[in-house]
Amino acid sequence: MKKYALLGVCLLCVTVALLFFLRLSPEESASTNTATTAPSLAENLTDLEKDRVHTMVARMSLEEKVGQLFMVSFSGTTLSDDEAAWLAGEKVGGVILLGKNVSTREQSRALITDIHERASSGLAASLLVATDQEGGLVSRFTFFGPKERYAESAVATPDAAFALGKLRGTLLRELGVDINFSPVVDVATTPEDFMYERAVRGDAKTVAGLGAALIRGYREGGGTLPPDWNRRA
């Protein structure tokens, strides 16, 4: 795919695959936005949606199922004909948008629409569009504004984390993004840690609580993680 300018990223998105093919435990707590665990995927899907997902997967060929494990990047702010054809032909599960793919709100929305219209044609499941909008140092959509770009490392309470996640999830959903690879829940305790400026701060228990609150905010604000099953099916 070198000549098509698609990078050899091909991330094996095990987390995404698990979201598609496994039912998570319904015993996971999903109470208030100050709880330390996020709701399970099963709690966010109706029985009809679960049946549609399993039916969709059952109809996939082995090639299509393998393709769901891959998420790739491409180089520009528009999708070329060759890139669209390759994405559809290789039956990949999704694309991740990075800073190099983003310029303005209108361009980002148009690009995501184009990905679905051309690269998803004929696929058993529509391509997922992902990003890693963490805020702070890693902000792909810089036009969102300062409130949304608040760094995860600066979030101090579960309520603040939930509010930030809800705002960010809403903005991402308005663009058409399905999945956000955030929060960063490395337990980074000193400035010498590689992820210190990007990760939620605190000990393991604090990081877990703040991270779970961010995820609940993402889900309530925009439906990111899990993706929009109505569009996928």
Side-chain angles (χ1 to χ4, degrees), residues 152-202:
E152 292 177 11
S153 59
V155 176
T157 68
D159 285 341
F162 179 83
L164 176 60
K166 184 176 180 179
L167 172 62
R168 185 172 293 156
T170 299
L171 292 170
L172 289 172
R173 173 53 66 201
E174 288 174 352
L175 288 180
V177 174
D178 298 300
I179 294 176
N180 187 25
F181 292 122
S182 166
V184 180
V185 290
D186 297 59
V187 181
T189 57
T190 70
E192 287 71 34
D193 289 329
F194 174 69
M195 300 298 290
Y196 186 74
E197 294 300 328
R198 294 171 57 186
V200 176
R201 296 280 173 83

Side-chain angles (χ1 to χ4, degrees), residues 4-228:
Y4 297 148
L6 278 171
L7 299 181
V9 179
C10 291
L11 304 174
L12 283 174
C13 298
V14 177
T15 302
V16 178
L18 289 174
L19 287 173
F20 296 156
F21 304 127
L22 299 181
R23 293 186 180 187
L24 301 185
S25 168
E27 284 87 19
E28 293 181 37
S29 172
S31 54
T32 66
N33 49 336
T34 57
T36 57
T37 56
S40 71
L41 175 59
E43 293 170 352
N44 288 272
L45 296 180
T46 66
D47 289 340
L48 178 60
E49 287 173 327
K50 293 174 188 176
D51 289 341
R52 289 175 68 186
V53 171
H54 286 285
T55 298
M56 177 176 63
V57 173
R59 291 175 177 172
M60 288 181 179
S61 66
L62 178 60
E63 182 183 12
E64 288 171 327
K65 290 177 180 177
V66 171
Q68 291 296 305
L69 300 176
F70 289 84
M71 183 163 283
V72 300
S73 174
F74 57 95
S75 60
T77 55
T78 59
L79 190 68
S80 72
D81 290 341
D82 287 341
E83 289 166 346
W86 187 89
L87 288 171
E90 297 300 321
K91 300 176 174 59
V92 298
V95 297
I96 180 168
L97 299 182
L98 305 174
K100 62 187 178 182
N101 305 122
V102 175
S103 59
T104 67
R105 188 184 304 271
E106 292 72 21
Q107 171 271 329
S108 299
R109 189 179 290 116
L111 174 60
I112 292 170
T113 298
D114 191 37
I115 288 171
H116 290 313
E117 289 181 349
R118 295 199 292 151
S120 291
S121 177
L123 297 182
S126 179
L127 280 166
L128 289 171
V129 176
T131 192
D132 51 350
Q133 183 76 5
E134 301 170 9
L137 294 176
V138 182
S139 295
R140 308 305 185 186
F141 303 102
T142 56
F143 49 78
F144 278 167
K147 288 185 178 180
E148 183 281 328
R149 292 174 63 193
Y150 200 69
E152 292 177 11
S153 59
V155 176
T157 68
D159 285 341
F162 179 83
L164 176 60
K166 184 176 180 179
L167 172 62
R168 185 172 293 156
T170 299
L171 292 170
L172 289 172
R173 173 53 66 201
E174 288 174 352
L175 288 180
V177 174
D178 298 300
I179 294 176
N180 187 25
F181 292 122
S182 166
V184 180
V185 290
D186 297 59
V187 181
T189 57
T190 70
E192 287 71 34
D193 289 329
F194 174 69
M195 300 298 290
Y196 186 74
E197 294 300 328
R198 294 171 57 186
V200 176
R201 296 280 173 83
D203 58 21
K205 183 176 181 179
T206 301
V207 168
L210 294 175
L214 270 164
I215 292 171
R216 280 191 301 277
Y218 288 154
R219 289 178 172 173
E220 181 161 325
T224 53
L225 273 175
D228 185 346

